[in-house]
Amino acid sequence: MTDEYSGLDPAMPLVDDASDPSGITRRDAMKMLGLVPLAGVLEWSGADVERASRFIAAIGTEPSQQFTPKFFSADEYRTVRVLVDYVIPRDARSGSATDAKVPEFMDFMYSDPQQNTSAQTKTAVHAGLAWLDAEATKRFSKTFVAATDAERRRILDDIAWPAKARAEMAAGVTFFNRFRDMTAAGFFSSAIGWKDLPYIGNVAVAEWKGCPPAALRKLGVSYDLMNTRIPVQDGSK
């Protein structure tokens, strides 16, 4: 993954090779982002996301282009499909956000009556997509979808990194921050995202051989700690 708008500082040492110790991989960065929404940044519980995941799995055989959104308008949905793939594009390891049906996930989360999504949040999503088109129209006299890749990136470069964004971009920054969290949540709630982690689920282990040495080294821990006695300082046994 070489060009997603993750919101991380561009100066952070991100590498494409998971074996490179000089920095974190771009997939690792997205994994971390994927954990954040479920911890409370968004309004949904684990049950909400699980219900959406089942919905997405049920339409797994349907071509994404045939999906009819209930929350997004047709124009908004086209924008969402373009925008999510700037956050998580397809790479050699796995599919893109649209391959993982993130746009469908978003539409379900915003339209399903059982979801805990506030009216304020729904309004903000519509407003954010409108802001994106308005900004593209102001700069290039065309919508975000109609703009070229280079033109879209000029806008995204101004809103993807909050610490570097100009004050007048505040509305776009706020929208894109939330949109990026939604994209990561949808991606890592999908079958493609599970495999990308990789997550094997509740699978029985025939023989436990301990944590693999490579994982121990990465975490900077050792089983030797378990064999170390800590001297008693207060006279208790």
Side-chain angles (χ1 to χ4, degrees):
M1 182 182 295
T2 57
D3 59 353
E4 79 285 317
Y5 284 85
S6 66
L8 299 169
D9 189 330
M12 180 183 290
L14 296 176
V15 297
D16 294 318
D17 181 359
S19 65
D20 190 331
S22 64
I24 63 172
T25 68
R26 296 177 187 275
R27 283 291 178 189
D28 286 340
M30 288 308 301
K31 289 176 196 176
M32 290 186 286
L33 287 169
L35 296 176
V36 172
L38 302 185
V41 173
L42 301 180
E43 300 169 315
W44 306 304
S45 66
D48 293 330
V49 175
E50 182 180 356
R51 188 162 53 250
S53 297
R54 290 198 300 268
F55 169 77
I56 298 305
I59 63 171
T61 58
E62 178 183 340
S64 185
Q65 291 79 2
Q66 296 180 9
F67 177 79
T68 302
K70 295 181 179 180
F71 173 77
F72 296 114
S73 69
D75 287 340
E76 287 176 331
Y77 192 64
R78 281 191 288 271
T79 302
V80 168
R81 287 181 55 80
V82 169
L83 193 56
V84 295
D85 280 352
Y86 277 100
V87 179
I88 305 182
R90 184 183 296 113
D91 63 12
R93 174 164 172 165
S94 70
S96 66
T98 52
D99 292 328
K101 298 190 181 297
V102 170
E104 292 90 332
F105 173 91
M106 289 185 179
D107 189 77
F108 179 85
M109 295 301 271
Y110 288 130
S111 64
D112 182 65
Q114 296 185 59
Q115 301 296 353
N116 298 311
T117 307
S118 68
Q120 181 180 11
T121 293
K122 294 178 181 181
T123 299
V125 172
H126 289 307
L129 292 169
W131 180 93
L132 201 62
D133 270 344
E135 187 67 18
T137 300
K138 181 175 70 174
R139 296 192 192 192
F140 313 117
S141 300
K142 61 186 79 169
T143 64
F144 185 80
V145 170
T148 65
D149 176 69
E151 290 169 341
R152 294 171 188 164
R153 289 176 183 277
R154 285 174 60 184
I155 296 175
L156 295 179
D157 285 342
D158 286 340
I159 61 176
W161 296 281
K164 299 178 181 297
R166 302 188 305 275
E168 60 267 28
M169 294 289 105
V173 170
T174 299
F175 161 69
F176 193 73
N177 277 346
R178 195 173 188 88
F179 187 91
R180 181 175 50 240
D181 290 339
M182 270 292 299
T183 301
F187 183 82
F188 290 110
S189 297
S190 71
I192 288 178
W194 299 337
K195 293 175 183 177
D196 185 83
L197 283 173
Y199 171 70
I200 62 174
N202 187 20
V203 178
V205 178
E207 180 182 4
W208 172 245
K209 299 181 180 180
C211 186
L216 290 173
R217 288 194 299 271
K218 184 172 183 178
L219 293 172
V221 297
S222 168
Y223 279 113
D224 293 339
L225 179 63
M226 302 300 293
N227 299 320
T228 302
R229 292 183 61 85
I230 301 175
V232 177
Q233 302 294 331
D234 59 3
S236 62
K237 295 183 178 180

